[in-house]
């Protein structure tokens, strides 16, 4: 059974760096055919893809946020970490991580973590 | 602004068939498989359809999808109240490169 769960601060101040951790079970991120993706959703708005990492350490970032994002994996801990620098109020959103299998899709999602950006 | 265009809303009565469109371009829908996700109110999205028209495990056959050229669509037949949700299409865009989501369609069951 595949499960994922996001963790991190619920409140960050403007200009701070956000660090979110996706802890997962039921699969290993040592396989190039498996990935973990980060997606966010501002309140009342649409889903927005942020970043993706595969087991072979191949990484992809949203072009509009690329300069602010870093995605890494710790295979031994079954975790994927997303950092986003220079947070602003517009970055307030629920942040989701999900399991990705190329040619398939985001089949399993975490419950999401709401991040508020306020001073 | 989403590169994938979905109608913001759709509606139907119980038992009806509704369709939701997803319009893209030659760099995304035209050449890559489209996936669909359902998001019930207050919940995380759920995987519905992959590879244009394949239902994910456990998804009822009331849900179907298709693609022609640079447009895709999701159809829900025998509409039920529990189908009331937001629906999103998603696809890889070779020009970015990256994944793009449609703006979402809010389905109301009247």
């Amino acid at each position: 059974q595949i499960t994922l769960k996001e963790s991190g601060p619920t409140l960050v101040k403007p200009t701070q760096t956000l660090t979110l951790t996706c802890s997962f079970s039921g699969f290993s991120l040592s396989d190039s055919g498996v990935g973990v993706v980060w997606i966010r959703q501002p309140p009342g708005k649409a889903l927005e893809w942020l970043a993706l990492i595969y087991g072979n350490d191949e990484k992809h970032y949203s072009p509009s946020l690329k300069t602010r994002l870093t995605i890494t994996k710790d295979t031994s801990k079954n975790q994927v970490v997303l950092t986003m620098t220079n947070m602003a109020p517009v970055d307030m959103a629920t942040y989701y991580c999900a399991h990705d299998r190329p040619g398939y899709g985001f089949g399993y999602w975490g419950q999401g973590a709401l991040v508020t950006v306020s001073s | 602004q989403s590169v994938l265009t979905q109608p913001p809303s759709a509606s139907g009565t119980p038992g009806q068939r509704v369709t939701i469109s997803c319009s893209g371009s030659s760099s995304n829908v035209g050449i890559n498989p489209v996936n669909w996700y359902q998001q019930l109110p207050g919940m995380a999205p759920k995987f519905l359809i992959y590879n244009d028209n394949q239902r994910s495990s456990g998804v009822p056959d009331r849900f179907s999808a298709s693609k022609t050229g640079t447009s895709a669509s999701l159809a829900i037949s025998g509409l039920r109240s529990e189908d009331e949700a937001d629906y999103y299409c998603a696809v890889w865009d070779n020009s970015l490169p990256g994944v793009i989501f449609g703006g979402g369609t809010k389905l109301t069951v009247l």
Side-chain angles (χ1 to χ4, degrees), chain B residues 13-94:
Chain B
T13 56
Q16 271 191 331
R17 181 177 188 270
V18 297
T19 60
I20 296 170
S21 62
C22 173
S23 179
S25 68
S26 58
S27 66
N28 44 67
V29 175
I31 54 173
N32 292 316
V34 176
N35 299 332
W36 290 89
Y37 300 87
Q38 175 195 58
Q39 188 176 31
L40 297 172
M43 303 292 288
K46 172 190 171 184
F47 192 35
L48 275 184
I49 301 284
Y50 66 98
N51 199 21
D52 297 336
N53 55 21
Q54 303 298 302
R55 281 186 298 277
S56 179
S57 176
V59 174
D61 58 8
R62 300 187 297 106
F63 292 85
S64 62
S66 62
K67 187 174 80 174
T68 302
T70 58
S71 290
S73 64
L74 173 71
I76 308 170
S77 60
L79 202 59
R80 298 183 178 184
S81 57
E82 57 260 38
D83 298 331
E84 191 161 282
D86 293 325
Y87 292 85
Y88 293 91
C89 57
V91 67
W92 183 268
D93 190 302
N94 287 15

Side-chain angles (χ1 to χ4, degrees), chain A residues 37 39 41 44-49 52 54 58 60-63 96 100-101 103-112, chain B residues 2 33 35 37 39 43-47 49-51 55-57 86 88 90 92 96-104:
Chain A
V37 61
I39 293 155
Q41 185 174 37
K45 296 189 177 181
L47 301 169
E48 179 184 16
W49 174 78
L52 169 60
Y54 289 116
E58 178 183 346
H60 298 277
Y61 294 99
S62 166
Y96 296 99
D100 180 40
R101 203 171 85 205
Y104 187 61
F106 309 148
Y108 302 88
W109 294 63
Q111 63 190 23
Chain B
S2 299
N35 299 332
Y37 300 87
Q39 188 176 31
M43 303 292 288
K46 172 190 171 184
F47 192 35
I49 301 284
Y50 66 98
N51 199 21
R55 281 186 298 277
S56 179
S57 176
D86 293 325
Y88 293 91
W92 183 268
L96 291 179
V99 176
I100 51 174
F101 282 93

Side-chain angles (χ1 to χ4, degrees), chain A:
Chain A
Q1 182 188 2
I2 291 175
T3 63
L4 304 97
K5 186 173 183 180
E6 307 84 355
S7 61
T10 57
L11 176 66
V12 297
K13 291 181 168 54
T15 75
Q16 285 188 334
T17 294
L18 171 68
T19 300
L20 291 171
T21 300
C22 177
S23 301
F24 57 85
S25 63
F27 67 96
S28 173
L29 206 43
S30 58
D31 181 357
S32 62
V34 173
V36 170
V37 61
W38 283 96
I39 293 155
R40 72 177 179 180
Q41 185 174 37
K45 296 189 177 181
L47 301 169
E48 179 184 16
W49 174 78
L50 299 176
L52 169 60
I53 188 168
Y54 289 116
N56 61 0
D57 213 35
E58 178 183 346
K59 303 172 186 178
H60 298 277
Y61 294 99
S62 166
S64 63
L65 294 167
K66 187 173 184 176
T67 59
R68 300 173 54 203
L69 294 174
T70 302
I71 189 170
T72 59
K73 64 181 177 72
D74 186 330
T75 305
S76 65
K77 292 183 178 179
N78 280 352
Q79 290 181 335
V80 169
V81 175
L82 180 76
T83 60
M84 181 180 290
T85 61
N86 195 24
M87 293 290 286
V90 295
D91 296 313
M92 175 177 171
T94 296
Y95 287 75
Y96 296 99
C97 63
H99 172 277
D100 180 40
R101 203 171 85 205
Y104 187 61
F106 309 148
Y108 302 88
W109 294 63
Q111 63 190 23
L114 177 61
V115 178
T116 301
V117 183
S118 174
S119 55

